[in-house]
Amino acid sequence: MHSPLAGLKDPDDRRLPRIAPPCGLVIFGITGDLARKKLVPAIYDLANRGLLSPAFALTGFARRDWSTQDFEDYIRTSIEKHTRTGFNERTWNQLRAGLRFVSGTFDDPAAYGRLAETVAELDKSRGTGGNHAFYLSIPPSWFPEVCEQLAATGLNQRHGNEFRRVIIEKPFGHNLESAIELSKVVSRVFDEDDVFRIDHYLGKETVQNIMAMRFSNTMFEPLWKANYVDHIQITMAEDIGIGTRAGYYDGIGAARDVIQNHLLQLLALTAMEEPVRFTQEAIRAEKEKVLSAVRLGEDLSATTVFGQYTSGSQGGTQVRGFLEEDSIPADSVTDTYAAIKLFVDTRRWAGVPFYLRAGKRLAKRVTEIAVVFKRAAHVPFENSEVTESGQNVLVIRVQPDEGMTIKFGAKVPGTEMQIRDVTMDFGYGHAFTEDSPEAYERLILDALVGSAPLFPHQREVELSWQILDPILEHWASAGRPDPYRPGSWGPASSQEMLARDGRSWRLP
Ligand code: BG6
């Protein structure tokens, strides 16, 4: 039926682009890798897509003794090198007019005084309207100092409808206790509703598609349960080593770096019940239920594996082992590979194992969720005629080649009843002409708009540490990590973990 309202523009119309209100973003750690490669280009790409207000301002805060010109050159180079949408002089000029740089150390009160003056000046000259977000792209050991300095200068104080928000990068602690400590510090200065914790996986289109796929269709959800699912594998494999990140990575390792956040978030989205609404409260509530229902195996030496890459050849190039990487102590026991088997104790998932694995220097870069279904209870063909028929699998490819694949058995053409596995593929690149925005574009925009569904709540962070802490403690007393060759799929012990259950890791 044709709606009488068709064609009228409703302010809540979801097809209208959401545009950030006039505001300023202050980045602490603007000279770091993350800011240079991801944050600055994402801000520019948002501006290029018309999603920032003309009154937007970007302030960098760092130790360097830069002039305004130095700062502009730095920002411009970062954009030219990493923009997704292409360099455009008009967008650049508009952005440039709102660039400011404050030089100072994170514990220098005078520098915060200059920051407060800059923010006030931007409100006047640029029209940022008292709305400011502070992005802490810095080691968490600095969070307390920066938050306290912001409070001491009154930069966390908003008036009327203005906003003052803080955006924080992981790691949110290194265990449950430190995560709680960190949160106390932040919450002394900012209200929980004004704290935006970044888990950049939640900004990825394919991760949001897990919810779209599950909750906007009828054909998947009836099968999405213990009655039909044999097990689920969640893989985040990277082919790179730790590069220049030794300072961050050593002592952190794969489990803290990506399982505590990205993989457990993927698990929560895969296993959760349908939220009653697409609001932050409703989505967080369902994710929290999943994380609270997680149960680890009783014998962690049989249900978890931690590994470390050795030197060897990867893709024809000789690469160093983790212990030979720059600045890594020769006796480091940091896990560059981690695999965990766990259960979600709910009626929907009773008895279904979830296998999570993540690692550096693996065979290739791929992140995927594979839902492996039970075998058919009865097949009315002679066994000898059923060739190569495995189990039905639904794979959600988070990256690269974003999309979905369903594997099922089909008859091989010919006079015999031969069955073979075939696949049905959906590729983002084929189905949509538009490129997916970068995760940071989405998340920075959401933080500026004040929309929190894609940001984990502190409770999720704590529940995730609660899952991981016993494993980390177990590994700390378990000796050395198991070695694995670069370009492999991890230590042999990881394959054995699944083999003991009569299963095997997929070769993505
Ligand atoms: C980060 C980790 O959160 O995610 C890195 O700290 C990892 O170690 C990175 O390399 C991977 O992100 P992406 O988006 O390339 O999968």
Side-chain angles (χ1 to χ4, degrees):
M1 205 174 76
H2 190 72
S3 155
L5 296 176
L8 286 184
K9 287 208 167 175
D10 168 356
D12 288 332
D13 187 338
R14 286 170 196 268
R15 290 165 305 180
L16 293 178
R18 295 179 315 146
I19 295 177
C23 62
L25 181 65
V26 177
I27 300 186
F28 290 87
I30 188 86
T31 55
D33 252 20
L34 182 72
R36 187 166 48 84
K37 292 189 185 151
K38 299 283 185 189
L39 308 185
V40 170
I43 290 164
Y44 167 85
D45 287 326
L46 284 174
N48 218 11
R49 291 163 63 204
L51 300 178
L52 296 183
S53 148
F56 176 78
L58 172 65
T59 304
F61 187 111
R63 228 177 357 226
R64 310 249 169 116
D65 189 16
W66 274 348
S67 65
T68 309
Q69 187 60 49
D70 294 334
F71 183 57
E72 282 181 18
D73 291 347
Y74 168 80
I75 297 288
R76 183 177 175 134
T77 310
S78 142
I79 294 170
E80 282 177 342
K81 211 157 162 200
H82 301 288
T83 168
R84 180 181 70 82
T85 57
F87 191 84
N88 169 326
E89 284 294 338
R90 257 186 67 196
T91 309
W92 164 243
N93 283 329
Q94 193 191 34
L95 202 61
R96 186 174 60 173
L99 289 183
R100 302 287 185 275
F101 181 69
V102 174
S103 166
T105 53
F106 297 145
D107 55 357
D108 174 12
Y112 289 84
R114 292 195 293 280
L115 179 62
E117 283 164 22
T118 305
V119 162
E121 179 268 317
L122 283 169
D123 283 345
K124 285 208 194 88
S125 70
R126 191 85 178 151
T128 40
N131 299 323
H132 296 277
F134 302 94
Y135 198 126
L136 309 192
S137 176
I138 53 177
S141 52
W142 279 109
F143 288 4
E145 180 72 40
V146 174
C147 285
E148 273 152 30
Q149 295 278 1
L150 288 173
T153 337
L155 278 164
N156 61 334
Q157 302 287 332
R158 60 161 162 229
H159 307 281
N161 289 332
E162 295 172 357
F163 71 72
R164 295 292 159 119
R165 299 185 182 133
V166 67
I167 306 172
I168 50 183
E169 270 292 338
K170 72 175 183 64
F172 312 123
H174 52 91
N175 58 14
L176 177 61
E177 197 188 336
S178 56
I180 294 175
E181 265 317 298
L182 208 58
S183 159
K184 277 192 197 147
V185 169
V186 176
S187 60
R188 274 203 294 271
V189 177
F190 290 96
D191 291 343
E192 175 60 31
D193 284 352
D194 297 324
V195 181
F196 291 75
R197 296 176 192 80
I198 297 261
D199 182 321
H200 80 280
Y201 263 59
L202 296 181
K204 289 183 191 271
E205 287 285 326
T206 36
V207 172
Q208 294 160 49
N209 191 44
I210 300 172
M211 285 188 278
M213 185 209 88
R214 289 192 55 199
F215 304 130
S216 70
N217 296 296
T218 40
M219 58 191 268
F220 303 114
E221 216 43 27
L223 303 178
W224 215 257
K225 53 169 75 135
N227 311 38
Y228 300 102
V229 174
D230 178 71
H231 71 280
I232 293 184
Q233 301 187 9
I234 304 183
T235 299
M236 178 182 171
E238 293 181 278
D239 52 2
I240 49 168
I242 56 149
T244 52
R245 296 172 75 218
Y248 159 76
Y249 201 85
D250 189 40
I252 295 272
R256 285 188 173 98
D257 184 34
V258 298
I259 294 189
Q260 187 271 341
N261 35 72
H262 309 328
L263 266 70
L264 286 178
Q265 285 290 326
L266 293 182
L267 166 85
L269 292 172
T270 306
M272 75 184 190
E273 299 300 317
E274 181 176 311
V276 285
R277 254 168 244 101
F278 194 71
T279 60
Q280 62 199 64
E281 291 81 14
I283 296 174
R284 284 168 169 178
E286 296 307 335
K287 285 196 290 174
E288 277 169 30
K289 281 192 219 159
V290 173
L291 295 171
S292 338
V294 165
R295 174 173 54 86
L296 300 177
E298 271 170 24
D299 176 7
L300 293 177
S301 21
T303 56
T304 69
V305 168
F306 72 130
Q308 202 177 66
Y309 61 83
T310 61
S311 59
S313 154
Q314 189 173 28
T317 313
Q318 187 64 22
V319 297
R320 289 190 281 186
F322 181 69
L323 297 179
E324 291 110 52
E325 300 276 17
D326 293 335
S327 315
I328 296 293
D331 58 352
S332 169
V333 290
T334 297
D335 49 304
T336 61
Y337 177 95
I340 297 169
K341 170 185 172 182
L342 51 80
F343 293 92
V344 176
D345 279 345
T346 58
R347 175 177 291 215
R348 185 189 278 269
W349 296 116
V352 177
F354 286 73
Y355 300 99
L356 276 47
R357 62 175 164 170
K360 302 269 186 203
R361 283 252 180 267
L362 296 180
K364 65 178 191 186
R365 174 173 182 257
V366 58
T367 301
E368 63 163 44
I369 299 159
V371 181
V372 182
F373 291 90
K374 292 188 171 162
R375 290 179 193 279
H378 171 72
V379 179
F381 314 120
E382 294 292 327
N383 266 350
S384 59
E385 291 171 340
V386 180
T387 55
E388 288 184 46
S389 181
Q391 286 163 284
N392 294 148
V393 183
L394 187 151
V395 181
I396 301 169
R397 286 191 308 279
V398 174
Q399 64 188 21
D401 308 328
E402 291 81 354
M404 247 172 70
T405 297
I406 298 178
K407 191 174 94 170
F408 58 99
K411 182 180 174 307
V412 179
T415 50
E416 286 166 61
M417 192 47 147
Q418 266 189 18
I419 316 282
R420 184 182 299 165
D421 282 341
V422 294
T423 55
M424 203 155 73
D425 259 311
F426 148 67
Y428 258 79
H430 300 297
F432 302 106
T433 48
E434 225 180 293
D435 277 352
S436 295
E438 276 282 322
Y440 277 102
E441 287 172 53
R442 174 66 197 260
L443 295 178
I444 291 173
L445 179 65
D446 278 13
L448 297 179
V449 169
S451 162
L454 300 182
F455 295 85
H457 188 273
Q458 174 66 15
R459 281 194 300 276
E460 292 169 67
V461 171
E462 291 176 15
L463 286 167
S464 303
W465 282 120
Q466 235 164 37
I467 296 169
L468 220 56
D469 273 359
I471 300 174
L472 296 169
E473 278 161 29
H474 172 74
W475 290 348
S477 57
R480 293 209 50 78
D482 294 336
Y484 62 96
R485 279 178 301 101
S488 69
W489 280 106
S493 47
S494 180
Q495 303 297 342
E496 287 155 16
M497 178 171 100
L498 267 72
R500 280 195 293 277
D501 293 349
R503 303 188 173 100
S504 58
W505 286 112
R506 277 171 42 78
L507 284 180

